Amino acid sequence: MELAQQLEDNIQIGAQADDNSQQLLTFILAGEEYGVDILRVQEIKGWDSVTPIPNTPKHILGVINLRGTIVPIIDLRLRFNLETIPYGPTTVVIMLKVESEDRSRTMGIVVDGVSDVYNLAQDAMKPPPDFGSVISVDFVKGLATVGEQMVIVLEIDHMLNSGELAMVEKAQTR
Amino acid sequence: MAIDMEQFKATYIEESLEGLDNMESNLLNLAPGSKDEDAINTIFRAAHSIKGGGATFGFADISQFTHVVETLLDQIRNGQREITQQAIDLFLQSVDCLREMLAAAQNNSQADEMRIADLKSQLDALLASDGASSPLNEAVAVAAVESTADPQAKTSEWKIHFKPFPNMLATGNDVVRMFRELEELGEFQATVNFADLPALSDMGVEDSYLGWEASLKGECTLEQIKDIFVWVEDECELEITATTVNGIKEAQAAVTDENSGKCADQHHETPIATTTSSAPIAKPSVQPDNKIKDKTERRSGAESSSIRVDIEKIDSLINMVGELVITQSMLSQFGEDFALENLEKLRDGLGQLERNTRELQESVMRIRMIPISFAFNRFPRMIHDLCNKFGKKVQLKLSGESTELDKTVMEKIGDPLVHLVRNAMDHGIETPEVRVAAGKPHTGTLHLNAFHQGGNIVIEISDDGAGINAEKILKKAIERGLVEEGAELPQAKIYDLLFQPGFSTADKITDVSGRGVGMDVVRKNIQALGGTVDVQSTLGKGSTFTVRLPLTLAILDGQLVRVGDHTYIIPLVSIVESLQVHKKNVNAIAGKAELYKLRDEYLPIIRLYEAFNISPDSTSLENGLLVVVEGEGQKAGLLVDDLLAQQQVVIKSLETNFRRVDGLSGATILGDGTVALILDVAGVIRVSQGRFNSHHDSINADGVAA
């Protein structure tokens, strides 16, 4: 209940925010707080079973029926090669609009739970440090500090358009 | 009274476009010197209504242009003129030109006036030329001299003799309206002639018995006056005479029913007419490039806005809704006072409801489906033109024109098909000399074929031309650095190069093809529709381009099958039979590839759980069922745990939000809201073969994560 109240407050603040700032929806994944541009969020829904698609990587859980369209669901823990935990009552699916080259697609990501909505001034976001080859920073847009907390802002277009999710298929060999 | 003229204009344009299509197909069937009266009459009628409508709805340019065409046609119809190839070509060009003018009218933009004027003067020249060879010719010539009036010349006073036939009013033509229009042209006075008025007892209430002698004072042309009477030409006696003439000599036109066109048309035979009518050239056309672009864009917008549906389809829809209403009222009666003994009837009712709903759904879907002939129809004309251009002889064969596909798919497939056909004409089929030298018949054949296969529509464009020279392509590709030197590519891969942007094998660039743009666009467009395009070719024998398109929006009859916890749908059309496995019929090659002996055939067994990496109820062959399927000419047995219901499913694309998955043609939503995947039988066979041939390839593919 408290969270909902907080969210509401933040949204109110968001309404007054000036054009320079950006609103982030943050979610929790393995104890870390990640953020995505709130304008990309289509809806948040509880976890429900999916239809798996054969011969796809593990992190692509499958597809669901979102009001008549078929939408793929990606487990972000698996995507980031994190340890999996059983889905609980806070587990949610965030439906995101992903822009690829010529069109936009809808995809869902499974996360541990939604956290908050923040207003973020444009200059408050710092570029990610170079981790070398340990972690790909392509998926990270920047780092933001909210209070004492660090929020990792994700580059969702890049994250959800790469590898197996890419629009462009590998040249078909027949 | 406010009448939305726009609405009528839209209808006029639509009908005229249809008329033009009609004209075109008849013109293409017309051989020089033929005497096919039916065809000529059809062409004439189409031109006539376009002209009439054009005048009524204020498209003066269209009606004036068509008038010249009509004049020529009329001479042909009356046997005064032979049908020459030149005339046919000119008419075909006129059809194109009129299409453009109509499109311009639709978008309120300007048509290409230079072209119109040019074509018109060509037509006039033909009219003026001594093309007529029949004995009537002389009479015409004489008549022409007698009445060398220029319909465009302004005369200040006209005498009009107008006597409607008794039934003219019945066709909805109103004399008052016409007179009002005449009044707008100048000072108008009419005197009624009662001479034919019968006795009151003999009078038909709806018939017209009056005639008028009228005079019109004002600066106007014969053409303007005739335009007003354009709809009633055939239903009245009409004589328009100039009494005072400015400039040229006296003009007289007697337009009566039997020689309506004949006499009127002669006015155009004077050179004066030519010069006056080409006047629009003077108008400057501003920025033609922008204009044309604008036009195409707007036209594409208009295309998708309406659909013409066969009346039969609508009727069946209405029938079905009627039945649905009956079933509904039956069911609601059960609901009012329900007793347990009625349970059986309720079940029947629900069954009926289900059937009605399904049929209704089918019919609604069918409305969007139109036969592919809509896309094919443009080709006879195109081939005709291209043959002339290249000096080739090509016979076009069409089959499967009645294959239906979704309208949206149809609209988008048109351009890629045009491109493929052009390519076949330009690169594929050789000139007659080369063909004869190669021992082939003089005339080439281009075959367009369409048919349904599984959930796809397949369109084949095959020619018996030169075929594709794989070596030449490879050489070009190496030259361009697309392929490394010395690389060995399988034939299919080489053909694939054809679809690379900027790739062209043509030795010379023509304005039809050869610039290398296009084939990549063709493939892109087809892929955008979720389809594929394949090439097969034999050097010296010809090539076949096969376009496969999904029937989006289509419903599919599917067999639900279960493997472990998963439900899949196999399209019913690709299922041959289902059977229980008898161990004695199973053979294994090298302990791996399993074959099933079915009568006198050996089918590879594909364990679906293996192909899809899922866990089944049982891995034993005997506990499962073998579904014998056929896809792309290959048969195989799919091992599943169980067969569930058969039902119709609506195909949903996986590609909208995801991507194409090998072995799946789409997904659907079942009654309980969950998603079930639809198998693409040919794809499953391919997937399992791939797994088989290069086992570690598939391991690699699975191993790729993040």
Side-chain angles (χ1 to χ4, degrees), chain B residues 546-559:
Chain B
T546 309
V547 178
R548 273 199 179 74
L549 290 170
L551 301 166
T552 46
L553 271 177
I555 316 182
L556 182 119
D557 276 308
Q559 167 72 55

Side-chain angles (χ1 to χ4, degrees), chain A residues 51 55 68 103 105-106 164, chain B residues 611 652 655 657-659 675:
Chain A
T51 304
N55 298 329
R103 56 190 180 140
R105 297 187 280 168
T106 305
E164 275 291 311
Chain B
K652 299 266 179 185
E655 279 148 84
N657 291 312
F658 192 47
R659 63 173 175 88
V675 179

